[in-house]
Amino acid sequence: MTSVLVIGATGYSGAYVAAAFAEAGHQVSALQRPGGRTVPDRYPAVPGDLSDPASLTAAARGFDLVVQIGRIEGDIEREGARALLDSGARLIHTSGADVLGSGEVAEDDDPKPPPIVGWRAEVERAVLAGGGVVVRPGLIYGNRGGVVQDMFVPLANRIGAGVYVGAPGVRWAAVHVEDLARLYLEVAAKAAPGTAWNGVSETVTVDRLAAAVGGGVAVSWPEDAPVPPEIGLIGPLMRFDQEVSSEKTRREMGWKPLHESIADHYLRERTAAR
């Protein structure tokens, strides 16, 4: 039995990852940050704060594995990752597929992130140099959570259509939250230190996704106009186009995603709700 500390177990994807490890027979604990959401009763709570790297070293010490889903943006995230590695525990750090940059990219490509997530490249380098492992999810969706549910759906509800920006054809990487949780189990069991893996089950065009969210109706938002407030936080990524390969991850980790269509998922949900 492996002792696992999950950082972010009270969040959307972290809850599924923690549950996956527990259901696989591992001994799971969860980081409890000051003032944060209370850790579920099924997991022992371990005090620690992502903004206080020293507390992370103390929290992780004695665990076999730390799985970091929750994060804090900027240089402090890099220092936190180093602090976790200093504990002596194995580390699986969550980055994002967008760190690889635009165009056709794969696991072993050098990160070329857009400015909005520019800090992630240095965090990845620190994790890999320290013998940790990196997982890069695409757009996480499913089970009533994630960016699409929290941002795109409210916007579609307000204006009566899904929204994309500019011309159609912009590509995004995506992964269902349950498939992603299973990937962490595979990575924990099989990944060598200092390696990175892409948690991407498919590529979807943003206009197709918008149409699905809009129940079959989508509109193009002018590129020179401010993006609607519902999607303001990801406005700089609305024209970010990439095709992310997970071929190496599937082959070497034995990962087989079961959910292959984010667009079909939302089209079913949105048309059923009408």
Side-chain angles (χ1 to χ4, degrees):
M1 180 185 297
T2 301
S3 61
V4 182
L5 175 65
V6 176
I7 298 176
T10 61
Y12 167 52
S13 54
Y16 285 91
V17 172
F21 275 92
E23 290 161 10
H26 300 286
Q27 183 179 341
V28 176
S29 299
L31 191 78
Q32 177 67 69
R33 66 179 180 86
R37 282 177 285 188
T38 302
V39 166
D41 290 341
R42 70 183 295 193
Y43 309 125
V46 178
D49 190 344
L50 287 170
S51 65
D52 178 9
S55 76
L56 298 180
T57 303
R61 190 169 287 124
F63 284 93
D64 298 316
L65 174 68
V66 175
V67 181
Q68 183 180 8
I69 312 294
R71 57 196 181 201
I72 185 169
E73 298 179 1
D75 291 341
I76 192 68
E77 183 172 303
R78 182 181 67 243
E79 297 310 310
R82 287 173 173 160
L84 291 168
L85 290 165
D86 287 344
S87 73
R90 294 169 55 214
L91 173 63
I92 300 177
H93 173 83
T94 304
S95 181
D98 47 11
V99 73
L100 289 169
S102 60
E104 296 184 1
V105 292
E107 288 89 346
D108 295 333
D109 289 339
D110 291 331
K112 296 177 182 178
I116 190 175
V117 292
W119 82 91
R120 285 186 180 164
E122 287 300 320
V123 178
E124 283 200 7
R125 291 187 187 103
V127 171
L128 298 176
V133 174
V134 169
V135 173
R136 303 182 184 117
L139 178 70
I140 306 171
Y141 75 97
N143 301 356
R144 299 289 178 175
V147 166
V148 176
Q149 188 70 37
D150 295 344
M151 298 184 184
F152 284 75
V153 168
L155 176 58
N157 289 341
R158 178 168 68 85
I159 70 171
V163 171
Y164 61 99
V165 174
V170 171
R171 299 163 295 175
W172 281 359
V175 63
H176 192 280
V177 67
E178 294 174 7
D179 287 327
L180 179 63
R182 290 189 299 102
L183 175 59
Y184 281 88
L185 287 176
E186 301 289 359
V187 167
K190 301 172 184 175
T195 55
W197 308 95
N198 292 344
V200 173
S201 60
E202 64 168 315
T203 298
V204 64
T205 61
V206 183
D207 53 294
R208 183 181 176 217
L209 178 58
V213 171
V217 181
V219 297
S220 171
W221 203 263
E223 290 188 63
D224 58 355
V227 297
E230 291 90 341
I231 58 173
L233 288 177
I234 60 168
L237 293 175
M238 291 300 296
R239 296 293 300 163
F240 180 70
D241 174 70
Q242 63 174 182
E243 177 83 36
V244 180
S245 171
S246 63
E247 190 277 331
K248 179 181 178 181
T249 300
R250 295 179 191 230
R251 183 182 71 250
E252 297 192 14
M253 294 297 103
W255 182 53
K256 297 178 181 179
L258 302 177
H259 303 80
E260 292 287 351
S261 178
I262 184 174
D264 288 351
H265 172 90
Y266 278 102
L267 185 58
R268 286 193 302 268
E269 281 201 352
R270 299 294 286 165
T271 52
R274 289 187 168 184

